Every structure is written in C-alpha cells, then in structure tokens.
Amino acid sequence: MTPRAALERGLEELGLPLPELTRRQMLEYVALLAKWNRTYNLTAVRTPEDMVSHHLLDSLAILPHLPEPEREPALADAGSGARLPGIPLALAPPLWQVTL
C-alpha cells in the first residue's frame, strides 16, 4: 500500500475529512522524515507506509478528543524528537498553534 493510500484509508477510518492541501503536506512530512531518518535515526519506524499509520494517524487520533477552540487554539508538544505529534496536529484543522 502506498503512503497516500494508507493515509486516505486511515483518515476515513478516523472520520477526519482533512483538506487535500493538508494531506499533501502530511505526505511531504513523511517523505522528509523517511529521508532524514536514514541519517539521524529519528524513529525506529523505517518505511513511509508504516510512518503514516504509526506516526501520522496515531498523532491525529486525538483530534476528536481535543476541546473545540474558543479563540486561538494552542498546544505544547514537549520532548518531541521527530516532532510528533506536534507537526501533524499543527497541520490539521482547526489550525492549532503548536509549540514544539
């Protein structure tokens, strides 16, 4: 399964209708993570397909459980080595202001 197909399937299962731009940005992030993981060992997950399920979708699974933002939604992600879950949450609507 391609990373794109894995993302589409996972988002459907989570009930998260993310915009196409957000989906592309998340796949670009996975491509960068896979590239730099070979050099810096950012994560034990090696394939882009597995990164989609183990990183992107796991990060996004909390979205339905976060409170609706009243004004400027802000989150802090402390100690995120590969910038997870911070980057996927920052990309996903509502657009949270995420500090890593």
Side-chain angles (χ1 to χ4, degrees), residues 60-85:
L60 296 172
I62 68 167
L63 276 177
H65 306 285
L66 294 175
E68 277 295 316
E70 293 179 16
R71 283 189 264 158
E72 298 177 24
L75 295 172
D77 180 3
S80 59
R83 308 298 179 236
L84 295 158

Side-chain angles (χ1 to χ4, degrees), residues 5-26:
L7 180 62
E8 298 294 335
R9 184 173 136 200
L11 291 174
E12 184 178 327
E13 289 176 4
L14 289 172
L16 296 174
L18 299 183
E20 179 58 29
L21 175 61
T22 302
R23 294 169 192 242
R24 281 196 314 264
Q25 290 171 326
M26 289 192 180

Side-chain angles (χ1 to χ4, degrees), residues 9-63:
R9 184 173 136 200
L11 291 174
E12 184 178 327
E13 289 176 4
L14 289 172
L16 296 174
L18 299 183
E20 179 58 29
L21 175 61
T22 302
R23 294 169 192 242
R24 281 196 314 264
Q25 290 171 326
M26 289 192 180
L27 292 171
E28 289 171 11
Y29 170 68
V30 165
L32 286 171
L33 184 58
K35 173 185 175 181
W36 290 107
N37 193 48
R38 290 188 293 274
T39 303
Y40 293 106
N41 195 29
L42 300 169
T43 174
V45 179
R46 300 287 180 225
T47 68
E49 297 80 12
D50 288 340
M51 289 177 179
V52 168
S53 65
H54 290 74
H55 294 322
L56 288 185
L57 297 172
D58 280 358
S59 296
L60 296 172
I62 68 167
L63 276 177

